[in-house]
Structure formats: structure tokens, C-alpha cells
Amino acid sequence: MKDIQNHPPIMFQGQVVSDKPEMKLLGVSFSRKLEWKTHLKNITRTAGQRTSMLRRLGPVFDKAGPVTIYKTYIRSKMEYAPLSWMGASTVHLSALDKIQRRACRLIGLGPEEQLRHNLSSLSHRRNVAAASCLYRMQCIKCHTLLKSLVPPVRQPAARLTRQSLLLNRYSLQSPVPQGMTASRTLRSFDRAFLPAAVKIWNSLPSSVISDITTQGMQSFKCRVNKYLK
């Protein structure tokens, strides 16, 4: 990767911050183009290695034991800071889904048993987490910079249409990309946390969102989890 030319040096506490193609911050690997390829490859490798242990646990435990180990030791690895990289390409995200499917095979769980053990798809869990985070951003006194990311509420339509009738009373304006023209870049923007979370949020009926209050966060998460299944 060629170095970026003609940019001023980045300073921190009097020291020049060197320009690198990737950096790791709080356990998440950020690339210069926010492609998340390296980060998800690292997750996939570690989670895949841990999944192998499930084969040896079968003769020792009933199914509940390996499921608990999978959730706490393997799935948690694949769900660390997911909102930061949920806009990654489908190719890299599907690698995580393969690990969960492999884990279910090793444990011996069919589709119905997976539901009983609360093993929803990873994409479903990321969507629930995104909607829940957007809920919290609207009802908690968070940092002003984070609060400013919440789009304004949609104004009532001048005339009623089928689409406007489907929108909940808390529906938000969709974020608009700035200075993006390439279709590939626009698709990446649409998959990122805020645009994706707003799209999920606007698809929810008013009965699922209910009233946005601090006391209602947990019940909202339960409702949206049930609705999106």
C-alpha cells in the first residue's frame, strides 16, 4: 500500500504518530480503509481453533454443557465489539456463521434444538444489538459527540402513503453519505452501524418500540429480539 502523500504530520503529546496501514485499538484491528478483513480473519482463526474442543466434550457432558462453553468461550469471541465491524463484507461475516454451524454439528444440535438453546444466527444478534444501542443512545445521557450521531426524527409526510403508514412514530431520518459516489463505497456505508441500525429501527412497529425510557431498555431488547426472528 502506497503511503499517503502531502498530509501534515499527526501529533500526539508532542510526538509524531507514524502512518500505518492498520492499527489495533481496544482489541479491534482498524485498517486504513475500514475493510475489517484482518480483524475478522483473526477472530475466525481463534474461534475456529476453540471450536475443535467441542468434539472432545461430547462424551463427557450432555448437550447443555458444550452449548454453555460455546456461548462463553467461542461465540463471545465472535461478538466482541460487533457494532464497529458489522459493516464488513458478506464474505468475511459468513466465515463466522460457518463456525457457529460447525459448533452446532459438533454438539449435535438440530434447528429446533438451536432455538431452544437460544442459538440465533450471529447476524440476528448483531441486528438486535444495533437496534438496542440506538435505543440507548436516545434515552441515556451519553457523550454529546455520541448523542449527536442520532439522526433527527422523521417529519410527518405531507400526504399519507402506504410507506409512511408503515413507519413507527419514532422513525428516524436515514443518514446521508457525504462525498461518496462509487457504488461499492455506498454499499459499505449502508452496511455500517448507524445506517443499518436506522434501517432496522424504522422497520419496527410502534408497539415494539413503545415509549423510549431508561427503564424500558431491557424490555425493548426482548421485544425486538422476538420481532426480528
Side-chain angles (χ1 to χ4, degrees):
M1 181 180 296
K2 296 182 179 179
D3 292 334
I4 300 176
Q5 302 295 327
N6 301 321
H7 66 81
I10 301 175
M11 307 294 293
F12 180 73
Q13 294 184 350
Q15 301 293 324
V16 176
V17 179
S18 59
D19 183 22
K20 296 182 178 179
E22 293 180 350
M23 66 171 291
K24 195 167 187 178
L25 180 63
L26 298 177
V28 179
S29 297
F30 293 83
S31 72
R32 181 178 291 167
K33 295 184 178 180
L34 294 180
E35 293 174 331
W36 309 111
K37 179 179 179 180
T38 300
H39 182 68
L40 289 183
K41 278 191 173 182
N42 292 337
I43 292 178
T44 303
R45 182 177 63 254
T46 303
Q49 293 170 348
R50 294 180 178 183
T51 303
S52 300
M53 74 171 64
L54 296 176
R55 181 180 289 106
R56 299 190 294 271
L57 296 176
V60 181
F61 298 98
D62 59 9
K63 292 182 180 180
V67 167
T68 300
I69 292 173
Y70 168 72
K71 289 180 179 179
T72 57
Y73 193 58
I74 301 171
R75 190 177 69 179
S76 61
K77 180 68 177 179
M78 298 191 292
E79 292 188 327
Y80 177 73
L83 302 186
S84 61
W85 46 262
M86 66 179 293
S89 69
T90 305
V91 173
H92 297 123
L93 292 176
S94 63
L96 302 180
D97 298 326
K98 290 180 181 178
I99 291 176
Q100 174 152 301
R101 289 196 296 269
R102 181 189 174 207
C104 290
R105 287 197 305 270
L106 292 175
I107 298 172
L109 298 177
E112 294 184 358
E113 288 180 301
Q114 292 176 35
L115 293 177
R116 287 201 299 270
H117 288 284
N118 193 27
L119 287 174
S120 303
S121 69
L122 300 178
S123 60
H124 168 81
R125 291 174 58 82
R126 287 193 296 269
N127 290 340
V128 172
S132 301
C133 182
L134 192 55
Y135 185 101
R136 293 186 182 95
M137 290 168 66
Q138 295 179 77
C139 68
I140 293 181
K141 292 182 179 180
C142 54
H143 194 282
T144 54
L145 291 177
L146 184 61
K147 196 82 170 180
S148 66
L149 294 177
V150 180
V153 176
R154 281 178 181 263
Q155 297 301 316
R159 63 186 182 88
L160 294 180
T161 62
R162 181 179 298 179
Q163 183 178 5
S164 64
L165 289 173
L166 293 175
L167 293 173
N168 62 69
R169 58 191 172 120
Y170 291 112
S171 61
L172 304 171
Q173 295 182 20
S174 300
V176 179
Q178 301 295 327
M180 296 183 183
T181 56
S183 59
R184 182 177 179 181
T185 305
L186 291 173
R187 288 196 299 270
S188 298
F189 174 83
D190 290 337
R191 295 195 306 265
F193 160 65
L194 193 58
V198 169
K199 184 177 180 180
I200 297 167
W201 180 269
N202 290 348
S203 71
L204 302 175
S206 297
S207 59
V208 172
I209 296 179
S210 188
D211 293 325
I212 302 178
T213 64
T214 304
Q215 291 75 20
M217 286 188 297
Q218 187 58 39
S219 58
F220 167 78
K221 186 175 181 179
C222 294
R223 291 193 302 271
V224 73
N225 180 65
K226 183 178 180 180
Y227 180 80
L228 292 179
K229 281 187 176 178

